[in-house]
Amino acid sequence: MGAISRGWALTKQSWVVLKNDRSLVIFPILSAAFATVAVVVIMVPTALVAGADQNNPGYAVAAVVTIYVSTFIAVFFNVALAACAARSLRGEDTTIGEGISAATRQLGPILGWTLVAGTVGLVLRILEERFPLAGRIAVWIAGAAWAVATFFVIPVIALEGTGPIRSLKRSVAVVRAKWGEGATGQVAISAVTGLIVFGLVLVGGAAGYALVAVGLAPVAFAVGAVAVAAVIVVAVVSSALNSIFRVAVYEYAATGQAPAAFDPALVQSAFGPRGRRA
């Protein structure tokens, strides 16, 4: 089975879980909403105080604070989603409040991982901005390796409640012990949803351009608004599907048994076999 076919099959199986527990889709929405509020709360006062001087150190401080606050919000709601997804995969009913409570109980590990992930992200961003092309390529490779290494950190925090370093070590150990270093299943799911987004943008853009060309600008605006709304919906659903899949794969790795909603052979194929080292 090819990557796209596998991604579509995994997406459908994750979709079954999401369809049976639609509250899971609320967590990405809450994450985006709180992150937006955080950016406004931090950056607007900074702009009022620092003014138009972009070299004012206040902007740099505000940017760093925004990175850590946004990271905390993302980790918190991802942990909440992972905790609820684990229960949904067992056929249990969940609520948004239960997810928030589960994440609150892991506040220490969440804060610790926020510090680690935020710092790594900040360092990679600084290096990417300051180094020439070769350096940027190296940073991109390092970022990709970091993404693979941290693939299971959120499920580990949500389900085991370990600190940032132990969670990272556990994530790396599971990836290496089971399937090596290639998260092809996750990439495939992202590819499927990415194709949907691309199709929406392409169709919406073409339709809008054609409508403007014939003098129907108001209709073109409405079509554009619908296309943007559809892209947002797909992005939110994709985020929830990815989280469900990640929890399912982690539970398979930890227990050797795939959740009832997933085909064990398909879950096992989510990661390519580890290549031999020289």
Side-chain angles (χ1 to χ4, degrees):
M1 180 181 292
I4 297 298
S5 298
R6 180 170 59 247
W8 180 245
L10 289 167
T11 300
K12 289 192 294 183
Q13 292 182 5
S14 299
W15 172 255
V16 171
V17 178
L18 182 60
K19 186 172 64 173
N20 292 334
D21 189 354
R22 297 178 183 177
S23 65
L24 297 177
V25 81
I26 301 299
F27 293 107
I29 296 175
L30 291 175
S31 180
F34 275 90
T36 301
V37 171
V39 171
V40 172
V41 169
I42 295 170
M43 297 307 298
V44 169
T46 301
L48 292 176
V49 173
D53 182 10
Q54 296 298 317
N55 294 322
N56 190 302
Y59 282 110
V61 173
V64 172
V65 172
T66 300
I67 288 173
Y68 282 104
V69 172
S70 299
T71 301
F72 170 79
I73 292 171
V75 173
F76 182 89
F77 284 106
N78 280 333
V79 169
L81 173 54
C84 285
R87 295 190 59 184
S88 293
L89 289 168
R90 295 193 296 267
E92 301 175 9
D93 293 330
T94 64
T95 65
I96 298 172
E98 289 172 347
I100 299 298
S101 297
T104 302
R105 289 194 295 271
Q106 308 299 348
L107 194 57
I110 289 173
L111 287 170
W113 184 245
T114 296
L115 180 61
V116 172
T119 301
V120 171
L122 183 61
V123 170
L124 290 177
R125 183 174 302 182
I126 292 173
L127 292 176
E128 186 177 10
E129 292 177 352
R130 295 189 177 183
F131 278 74
L133 179 60
R136 291 186 178 183
I137 294 175
V139 168
W140 183 86
I141 294 174
W146 175 254
V148 172
T150 60
F151 189 83
F152 290 116
V153 166
I154 294 299
V156 171
I157 292 175
L159 303 181
E160 300 185 13
T162 53
I165 303 304
R166 289 185 61 187
S167 296
L168 177 58
K169 290 181 178 179
R170 174 63 172 159
S171 176
V172 172
V174 170
V175 170
R176 288 185 173 179
K178 291 295 182 180
W179 298 282
E181 301 167 345
T184 57
Q186 188 78 8
V187 172
I189 288 182
S190 298
V192 171
T193 53
L195 287 173
I196 295 175
V197 170
F198 177 77
L200 288 170
V201 172
L202 184 64
V203 172
Y209 180 82
L211 289 168
V212 170
V214 297
L216 296 176
V219 180
F221 177 80
V223 170
V226 171
V228 170
V231 168
I232 293 174
V233 170
V234 171
V236 168
V237 172
S238 174
S239 177
L241 292 177
N242 282 330
S243 295
I244 292 169
F245 167 72
R246 195 168 301 203
V247 172
V249 173
Y250 176 72
E251 290 201 334
Y252 179 84
T255 66
Q257 296 182 346
F262 283 76
D263 178 3
L266 196 60
V267 174
Q268 187 173 13
S269 70
F271 284 76
R274 184 181 181 183
R276 296 181 61 183
R277 295 183 183 274

